[in-house]
Amino acid sequence: MNVLVVEDERNLADAIVRILSDAGYNAEAVYDGTSGLTSAKSGLYDAIVLDVMLPGINGYDVVHELRHANISTPVLMLTALNSTEDKVEGLDSGADDYMTKPFEAQELLARLRAITRRKGEVMIDEIKFADLTLDLTTHDLSCGEKKIHLSGKEFELMRMLMSASSRVISKQDLLTRVWGADAEASENSVEAYISFLRKKLAHVGSKVQITTLRMLGYRLELFED
């Protein structure tokens, strides 16, 4: 599971990343609200740990913007503000849970498990983009009546690209998310699997293409006849 930590106290943010990493999560930190909102909109994360008092954009506004954009990623708000009014504002803005500082590592992990379980109970079983449908259970990619099965890494790459819609995902992000931060795979591995996916898109007759943006990454685009 990929977790985004948005916290301006760098020592605390890095400590949370270590806690999550030790528990088996892939965790990354950003240190201001603007970067947090941009990262959260990328479609790369399964959960977000979000501070309230942030430079740039505060946490309430970050989660409000995410929900306004129909991004349902579970959000755990983490803050020193502990009044009932603060908690109500956080939950009303769209957060899934609200936890005050200081905190114990085990409680943080338990609350994170709880909000991601709740997401799982209502999770859709497919992702759509233009004429494509990706079945999250069978790993089948279909266009109209044509269907093809994706391998594990093909599925993860396509899931990330389709979740990001037309936003660009960097090659490094794909490498980290699919192969893992400590994997020995190179960016050539990403290029190879992107090539496999392009062939499978052609096989099912999709009008969607994976476009390469030099020095930036990849995104999905719909090309009409």
Side-chain angles (χ1 to χ4, degrees), residues 82-109:
N82 58 10
S83 72
T84 299
E85 290 79 8
D86 293 323
K87 294 177 182 179
V88 168
E89 184 173 359
L91 295 171
D92 281 349
S93 67
D96 296 86
D97 199 359
Y98 191 106
M99 185 174 174
T100 56
K101 306 173 188 176
F103 61 90
E104 296 292 334
Q106 292 305 312
E107 183 182 0
L108 172 69
L109 294 172

Side-chain angles (χ1 to χ4, degrees), residues 46-115:
D46 302 296
I48 302 168
V49 178
L50 177 67
D51 188 24
V52 171
M53 304 303 291
L54 292 166
I57 306 172
N58 68 48
Y60 297 140
D61 289 340
V62 168
V63 72
H64 178 76
E65 287 295 323
L66 291 177
R67 301 308 184 232
H68 184 70
N70 293 319
I71 295 173
S72 60
T73 308
V75 174
L76 171 60
M77 289 198 124
L78 184 64
T79 179
L81 302 174
N82 58 10
S83 72
T84 299
E85 290 79 8
D86 293 323
K87 294 177 182 179
V88 168
E89 184 173 359
L91 295 171
D92 281 349
S93 67
D96 296 86
D97 199 359
Y98 191 106
M99 185 174 174
T100 56
K101 306 173 188 176
F103 61 90
E104 296 292 334
Q106 292 305 312
E107 183 182 0
L108 172 69
L109 294 172
R111 287 178 179 267
L112 193 59
R113 289 193 297 269
I115 64 172

Side-chain angles (χ1 to χ4, degrees), residues 86-164:
D86 293 323
K87 294 177 182 179
V88 168
E89 184 173 359
L91 295 171
D92 281 349
S93 67
D96 296 86
D97 199 359
Y98 191 106
M99 185 174 174
T100 56
K101 306 173 188 176
F103 61 90
E104 296 292 334
Q106 292 305 312
E107 183 182 0
L108 172 69
L109 294 172
R111 287 178 179 267
L112 193 59
R113 289 193 297 269
I115 64 172
T116 52
R117 279 200 303 270
R118 289 200 292 270
K119 181 188 178 187
E121 291 171 1
V122 297
M123 184 181 291
I124 59 174
D125 57 6
E126 62 183 28
I127 302 175
K128 294 181 179 291
F129 178 85
D131 59 7
L132 288 174
T133 300
L134 180 64
D135 191 308
L136 303 183
T137 303
T138 65
H139 294 193
D140 289 337
L141 181 69
S142 59
C143 176
E145 298 299 318
K146 292 187 177 181
K147 180 185 300 183
I148 193 166
H149 185 72
L150 302 184
S151 69
K153 286 185 171 53
E154 289 172 344
F155 169 76
E156 291 297 335
L157 286 169
M158 183 55 72
R159 181 178 69 87
M160 289 178 63
L161 289 166
M162 291 178 69
S163 295

Side-chain angles (χ1 to χ4, degrees), residues 4 7 9-10 36 38 40 55 62 65 81 113 120 126 144 157 178-179 188:
L4 175 66
E7 167 63 64
E9 297 180 37
R10 288 177 178 259
T38 300
V62 168
E65 287 295 323
L81 302 174
R113 289 193 297 269
E126 62 183 28
L157 286 169
V178 176
W179 279 266
N188 289 336

